[in-house]
Amino acid sequence: MIPMSLAQIASAVDGKLSENADPEAVVTGDVEFDSRKAGPGGLFLAIPGEKADGHDFAAKACAQGALAVIATRPVEAPAIYVDDAVAALTRLARHVAAASRARIIGVTGSNGKTSTKDLIGQLCARMGPTVATEGNFNNELGHPYTVCRVRPDTEYLVLELAARGIGHITELCETAPPTVGAVLNVGISHLDGFGDIETTARAKSELPRFLGEDDTAVLNADDPRVARMAGATRARTLTFGVDNPADVTAADLDPGDGRHRFTLRAPGGAAPVRLRLWGLHHVYNALAAAAVARHLGAPVEAIAEWLSEAGRKSERRMDVFTRPDGTVVIDDSYNANPASMASAVRTLGQLPTEGRRLAVLGLMADLEEQSEDCHRRLGEQARDAGVDEIIAIGEGTEPIIDGADGVTATHVPDQPAAIALLRNRLRPGDAVLVKGSRYRTWDVADHLRAKES
């Protein structure tokens, strides 16, 4: 964190120092809410959880070197007492962002936020000290937590902005105001929070709407709802895309084995890119990252080289590995919605293999009344992509079987049943995709990973 005394922090979070806290002590370490990570010069955030209460670990955190605890009830340690710990963290993050010289980049969209944030983070790290959201830690706790990791020498702060309703992205932007905002796409996801795709688009548009006239909005020219956001922002716009005219684009696109090659064309030149990441969707993620890096001043040739060297940073996202028996596994099990599912089965269909292509598919959650149609369409997409066999897991996935007419398709009640079926069906040299919303296919992926080469 940017060094601050306990007195300054107490003032920033509207808190009160305990009598045993030294107001002149300077916090130079990180703010942590996991006591196991608390360290010298840091600050511990005590949050009540479902299984444990951080207040019970306050003394332990300070014994490990934390200078004080942000707490909402008395603890046996130096403390800053507040009414709401997470709200206090947000206030502290606002102070850190205002004091920092880092250029703040915000990334949002229905799909690809985490992967694109990871790419932007890797590109920015080539240009200077960078802090980026870890994994998809993009909510009301993860967002200020990430901002507070900024240090005096941080030049770039890359933030993933997620929302489950109107106003959420604006709130995140107010905590750490971005000067560059990238909107990747608008798709069908989290309809339990948004209701329909137009409301989703309105929520995502909060990022470009927030930007000022000296800022830059990076927009997907191939997504009509995103492209229209150019008319809703005061910022300069920089577009990316494949099919429609754009400032940053991919020419001579070659799918290869699923790791695409293309010529990156951007203001200032063109250069070849060969991605290490699997799937067409990563071309769009790479173009968005390239647009951000180009705006920040990186040469086109350097951006192309960095993209070609960039790797996967977050778990369970298009993690392709080979088991000792030659079976290729695509673990994309972290989460799922209709667009990411379509991309995943298309990638499976492109994957070179001597055997069959199997897709183990879990429920796409939060689709409300569109769930049945979306799952049926997924079955059709898997069939059209050349998938040889489908295993659909759990309640609500039965329409996948209906849509996959002509393909060997089996519905099973749970993950143990899917694992048992795979033991009988999977043969050496096959390729298998595992994907579903959150935990719904994780056990299957872990079973396959246990035999990873």
Side-chain angles (χ1 to χ4, degrees):
M1 195 176 79
I2 291 176
M4 296 175 62
S5 70
L6 291 183
Q8 289 173 320
I9 294 173
S11 176
V13 303
D14 195 21
K16 182 179 180 181
L17 280 172
S18 63
E19 292 184 358
N20 59 342
D22 178 3
E24 301 302 320
V26 177
V27 173
T28 57
D30 292 325
V31 182
E32 299 289 355
F33 55 86
D34 183 338
S35 62
R36 294 169 297 184
K37 296 181 179 180
L43 195 64
F44 179 62
L45 186 73
I47 303 176
E50 294 182 2
K51 298 182 179 179
D53 187 335
H55 292 83
D56 297 333
F57 300 89
K60 174 187 174 184
C62 288
Q64 293 172 186
L67 295 182
V69 179
I70 294 180
T72 58
R73 64 174 174 81
V75 294
E76 295 182 358
I80 301 172
Y81 291 111
V82 297
D83 293 332
D84 184 312
V86 176
L89 182 65
T90 298
R91 288 193 288 270
L92 180 59
R94 288 178 179 173
H95 186 90
V96 170
S100 171
R101 65 186 182 91
R103 302 183 71 172
I104 302 176
I105 300 108
V107 183
T108 194
S110 297
N111 313 299
K113 291 186 296 297
T114 299
S115 296
T116 304
K117 172 268 303 176
D118 288 342
L119 282 173
I120 295 172
Q122 291 179 73
L123 299 189
C124 286
R126 299 294 192 115
M127 297 185 283
T130 298
V131 170
T133 305
E134 295 180 359
N136 73 329
F137 209 22
N138 53 26
N139 59 14
E140 63 275 5
L141 174 60
H143 184 74
Y145 171 82
T146 302
V147 175
C148 286
R149 300 184 78 80
V150 165
R151 297 190 178 277
D153 66 342
T154 301
E155 295 184 22
Y156 304 101
L157 174 58
V158 186
L159 297 169
E160 180 179 337
L161 308 179
R164 294 186 67 86
I166 296 295
H168 290 177
I169 289 177
T170 297
E171 291 176 3
L172 297 178
C173 288
E174 289 172 343
T175 298
T179 58
V180 181
V183 184
L184 308 178
N185 44 56
V186 174
I188 299 173
S189 63
H190 299 306
L191 293 185
D192 59 330
F194 294 120
D196 56 55
I197 195 168
E198 296 305 329
T199 304
T200 303
R202 191 161 74 251
K204 303 303 180 186
S205 74
E206 291 175 18
L207 175 53
R209 288 178 186 275
F210 184 89
L211 299 173
E213 59 184 14
D214 293 329
D215 302 331
T216 298
V218 176
L219 304 176
N220 185 350
D222 288 351
D223 186 313
R225 292 181 177 86
V226 176
R228 286 197 292 269
M229 294 179 192
T233 183
R234 297 170 294 161
R236 298 182 295 268
T237 60
L238 189 61
T239 58
F240 66 93
V242 175
D243 298 325
N244 293 322
D247 299 309
V248 179
T249 189
D252 310 316
L253 190 60
D254 179 358
D257 61 357
R259 292 172 288 190
H260 286 67
R261 298 186 293 270
F262 59 89
T263 300
L264 173 65
R265 297 191 184 279
V273 174
R274 182 168 185 163
L275 293 177
R276 294 171 55 196
L277 304 170
W278 296 79
L280 177 61
H281 59 292
H282 277 306
V283 174
Y284 280 90
N285 298 343
L287 292 177
V292 171
R294 187 71 192 97
H295 168 70
L296 295 174
V300 176
E301 295 78 5
I303 295 171
E305 179 182 347
W306 300 340
L307 285 174
S308 298
E309 295 173 354
R312 182 183 56 83
K313 300 288 287 184
S314 299
E315 295 181 348
R316 300 185 186 274
R317 290 176 173 85
M318 277 295 160
D319 182 7
V320 181
F321 59 89
T322 302
R323 304 195 319 176
D325 63 2
T327 302
V328 179
V329 179
I330 304 175
D331 179 0
D332 198 32
S333 61
Y334 186 81
N335 213 342
N337 58 42
S340 66
M341 272 288 203
S343 179
V345 297
R346 184 169 57 241
T347 300
L348 175 62
Q350 294 173 336
L351 192 72
T353 178
E354 297 178 357
R356 300 163 302 147
R357 295 179 174 87
L358 295 84
V360 182
L361 307 175
L363 183 75
M364 296 181 286
D366 303 331
L367 295 179
E368 302 298 302
E369 67 275 3
Q370 296 193 39
S371 181
E372 183 174 346
D373 288 341
C374 288
H375 285 89
R376 181 178 294 106
R377 176 58 181 154
L378 173 59
E380 297 169 356
Q381 291 166 332
R383 177 198 64 203
D384 295 344
V387 174
D388 298 299
E389 184 169 346
I390 296 171
I391 300 173
I393 302 176
E395 184 178 356
T397 64
E398 294 88 349
I400 297 175
I401 307 300
D402 298 335
D405 184 40
V407 174
T408 300
T410 307
H411 181 267
V412 295
D414 51 32
Q415 293 188 72
I419 292 170
L421 190 59
L422 277 175
R423 287 196 180 104
N424 292 324
R425 300 282 182 88
L426 204 58
R427 305 168 189 164
D430 286 347
V432 56
L433 163 70
V434 183
K435 188 167 178 64
S437 283
R438 299 305 296 263
Y439 53 84
R440 291 172 175 84
T441 55
W442 287 6
D443 291 347
V444 176
D446 290 343
H447 166 74
L448 295 171
R449 187 174 296 282
K451 301 180 182 300
E452 179 181 356
S453 174

